[in-house]
Amino acid sequence: MAKQALVMGIDVGGQTTKLGVVDARGNILYQSVISSLQRELSSYVEDITTAIKDLISQSENDGVIKGIGIGAPNGNYYKGTIEFAPNLKWAYDENGKPMVIFLANMIRDIIGIPVAITNDANAAAVGEMTYGIAKGMKDFIMITLGTGVGSGIVIDGKIVYGHDGFAGELGHTIIVRNGRQCNCGHKGCLETYTSATGVARTAREFLAERDEPSLLRELDPEKITSKDIYDAAKKGDKLALEIFEFTGKIMGEAFADFVAFSAPEAIILFGGLARSKEFLTEPILKSMNDNLLQMWKGKIRLLYSTLKDSDAAILGASALAWEL
Amino acid sequence: MAKQALVMGIDVGGQTTKLGVVDARGNILYQSVISSLQRELSSYVEDITTAIKDLISQSENDGVIKGIGIGAPNGNYYKGTIEFAPNLKWAYDENGKPMVIFLANMIRDIIGIPVAITNDANAAAVGEMTYGIAKGMKDFIMITLGTGVGSGIVIDGKIVYGHDGFAGELGHTIIVRNGRQCNCGHKGCLETYTSATGVARTAREFLAERDEPSLLRELDPEKITSKDIYDAAKKGDKLALEIFEFTGKIMGEAFADFVAFSAPEAIILFGGLARSKEFLTEPILKSMNDNLLQMWKGKIRLLYSTLKDSDAAILGASALAWEL
């Protein structure tokens, strides 16, 4: 009997890189994790290729891995590169200059299997379209709410890569002119308000500006997480609820502008902060509908990823590999 | 000898509707114009179908018209409709409610030739891609600067229609939160700053807020046009130049957000205000590059349509018809 075809999906995160062997039905058969914190590119490439080889050995009896898909910060689908990835030390030379890393070709040359790469948010969107709530959808926008805010834009059933392969940086559209300082160097990017760190920043601002009581005052302001705010909101904490209202309002304003661009069927939220949907949905929808043109009011769906966070990234990256 | 295939392009504007018969090389062989100011839909349909029949008769010896393409405000490609077109009286019933007008089917049923419709900015983008400066480009954004601001977004060689056919309303992305009141009901839309009327509004604001001398003070503020401001800038008028700088700055801010969405090769400007390019280019490019992510700085081209305004709309609409 011929062995079944398998693919490998790899999610390159700021802290860890997750690898998984995936079958045609979207089951993750084997998984492993390595650190992403290496200083040198050569160390990272050695670690990741070792992990890939181990997974290939493990899955030898189950099937043949025909391709590897990688989701990575600023992964470029056209060139198979990682470029300008501020969270990855090994993506910068000793003078702190960003390097263009031909990761897809490097891995292909060592492992001998075709490799495709895209950014993590695009990978999540492909995963959602292949296995998740976006199955059958041709026009949607995936917003990933993590340490940063990423986006995967699907138009007419295809990921939008743009002229240079870098399209879909919606976390860096400017939602508050001259607003909060962003890591990218600009001020007021969506990411500074609606990422997990952005929401924690909102909490610190609200706590400093107001004097009403709040469960959040019991915490070290510098260590407040979006999970803490969720927990407080669950207990009815008024300030925590207002933080989600503020966050949802900003998201809705941004999403209305995105709808004016590509008129998607749905906006799909993914990532840690999306778990606070019970507090975010209403303010997002109100704000989005307040800001949409008449013809779109009440018509754009707000959905949440149905895939587990870690699975979605691996599955999405792996889905790229089926096309190799 | 078989007669050559021809198409008809129709540009539905707020004041007039322009029709043209176009050959395969993009020559406009015959043209006519009718008013768009009819109160009743039935009158408009009668006038437009009469004009179409006249042009068909005129071109009978030159070839056979195989299709009709229409560019119209809020023209919907999927449904062949005009919907929510605030500038067209006949698009509203006697109670002022917007009607869904199946204009493509109405005309097809009377004339007996296939008809396609899209909005005027999409038509301009198709025209530019077929006959103009965007020839061969696969990813660009066309911004039409007229009484309003429209947009035609091309990704991977195709117009973006979105889930409902209404994608590409970039004139109604909000560029100044709580800014100028827009006809759409919202505040701060790009259109309120960078349309011809928006620029005139800027002139009135600047004249009221400042007391420096300006050639523009000799004009009735309520009647100032973008042409007046251009003429004054040509003569070195400082206030007029500052109006263009302000307008260019806002455009650049908006364009940077658009680039973050679809990473186009170029932004292409079209329409009356684009004729002021000598005063707009520098402030737009400076502001856009100031607001772009590092990887895009200096890489996005700013271009101006090379087609005559009226020709572009007819040619673009006609290009739709070749695919029928």
Side-chain angles (χ1 to χ4, degrees), chain B residues 194-254:
Chain B
T194 67
S195 64
T197 43
V199 174
R201 208 160 155 178
T202 303
R204 286 195 295 278
E205 279 185 17
F206 278 32
L207 287 167
E209 287 165 8
R210 306 167 180 211
D211 48 15
E212 65 201 85
S214 166
L215 294 167
L216 297 172
R217 296 205 184 275
E218 296 163 17
L219 306 167
D220 176 353
E222 294 308 314
K223 290 184 183 156
I224 286 180
T225 66
S226 52
K227 174 77 166 57
D228 295 328
I229 306 165
Y230 173 82
D231 290 342
K234 263 296 211 193
K235 292 175 189 154
D237 188 80
K238 196 166 154 285
L239 198 79
L241 290 166
E242 278 179 36
I243 291 166
F244 282 120
E245 266 162 44
F246 174 83
T247 308
K249 180 168 181 288
I250 287 197
M251 282 194 209
E253 291 171 349

Side-chain angles (χ1 to χ4, degrees), chain B residues 55-70:
Chain B
L55 281 176
I56 292 176
S57 306
Q58 278 184 63
S59 53
E60 228 163 30
N61 292 327
D62 299 272
V64 177
I65 292 172
K66 55 165 277 186
I68 299 173
I70 301 177

Side-chain angles (χ1 to χ4, degrees), chain B residues 51-246:
Chain B
I52 292 170
K53 284 176 194 164
D54 285 352
L55 281 176
I56 292 176
S57 306
Q58 278 184 63
S59 53
E60 228 163 30
N61 292 327
D62 299 272
V64 177
I65 292 172
K66 55 165 277 186
I68 299 173
I70 301 177
N74 279 3
N76 188 299
Y77 182 76
Y78 295 147
K79 297 191 275 180
T81 54
I82 295 181
E83 302 179 43
F84 310 103
N87 296 325
L88 301 170
K89 287 201 196 74
W90 45 266
Y92 289 75
D93 69 17
E94 58 262 36
N95 301 315
K97 280 202 170 170
M99 299 186 291
V100 177
I101 297 165
F102 289 85
L103 193 65
N105 282 356
M106 284 177 183
I107 293 176
R108 183 201 60 193
D109 291 349
I110 295 168
I111 305 291
I113 293 177
V115 180
I117 202 165
T118 192
N119 76 43
D120 32 4
N122 285 342
V126 176
E128 208 65 43
M129 191 161 46
T130 315
Y131 308 108
I133 199 163
K135 236 186 243 180
M137 264 188 217
K138 302 200 84 175
D139 294 275
F140 69 94
I141 298 176
M142 180 97 171
I143 303 285
T144 62
L145 303 164
T147 319
V149 171
S151 61
I153 302 164
V154 174
I155 290 180
D156 205 16
K158 287 186 289 292
I159 291 280
V160 174
Y161 290 114
H163 179 59
D164 59 6
F166 287 125
E169 285 291 347
L170 298 185
H172 294 285
T173 54
I174 291 173
I175 185 67
V176 180
R177 193 64 53 189
N178 297 315
R180 293 179 182 170
Q181 183 65 49
C182 183
N183 290 333
C184 77
H186 297 136
K187 286 183 175 175
C189 294
L190 180 62
E191 169 164 313
T192 64
Y193 294 88
T194 67
S195 64
T197 43
V199 174
R201 208 160 155 178
T202 303
R204 286 195 295 278
E205 279 185 17
F206 278 32
L207 287 167
E209 287 165 8
R210 306 167 180 211
D211 48 15
E212 65 201 85
S214 166
L215 294 167
L216 297 172
R217 296 205 184 275
E218 296 163 17
L219 306 167
D220 176 353
E222 294 308 314
K223 290 184 183 156
I224 286 180
T225 66
S226 52
K227 174 77 166 57
D228 295 328
I229 306 165
Y230 173 82
D231 290 342
K234 263 296 211 193
K235 292 175 189 154
D237 188 80
K238 196 166 154 285
L239 198 79
L241 290 166
E242 278 179 36
I243 291 166
F244 282 120
E245 266 162 44
F246 174 83

Side-chain angles (χ1 to χ4, degrees), chain A residues 221-277:
Chain A
E222 293 309 312
K223 290 185 183 155
I224 286 180
T225 66
S226 53
K227 173 76 165 58
D228 295 328
I229 305 165
Y230 173 81
D231 290 341
K234 264 295 210 194
K235 292 177 188 154
D237 188 80
K238 196 166 155 285
L239 198 81
L241 290 166
E242 278 178 35
I243 291 166
F244 282 120
E245 266 162 42
F246 174 83
T247 308
K249 179 168 181 289
I250 288 199
M251 282 194 209
E253 291 171 351
F255 297 172
D257 281 349
F258 304 161
V259 170
F261 199 104
S262 71
E265 179 178 353
I267 308 268
I268 304 180
L269 301 185
F270 171 83
L273 198 59
R275 282 192 286 267
S276 302
K277 63 177 169 181

Side-chain angles (χ1 to χ4, degrees), chain A residues 292-310:
Chain A
L292 283 174
L293 287 178
Q294 188 62 39
M295 61 190 173
W296 284 313
K297 280 187 201 294
K299 290 189 183 157
I300 313 300
R301 300 165 72 193
L302 177 69
L303 301 172
Y304 294 85
S305 169
T306 50
L307 301 175
K308 276 198 298 176
D309 286 14
S310 56

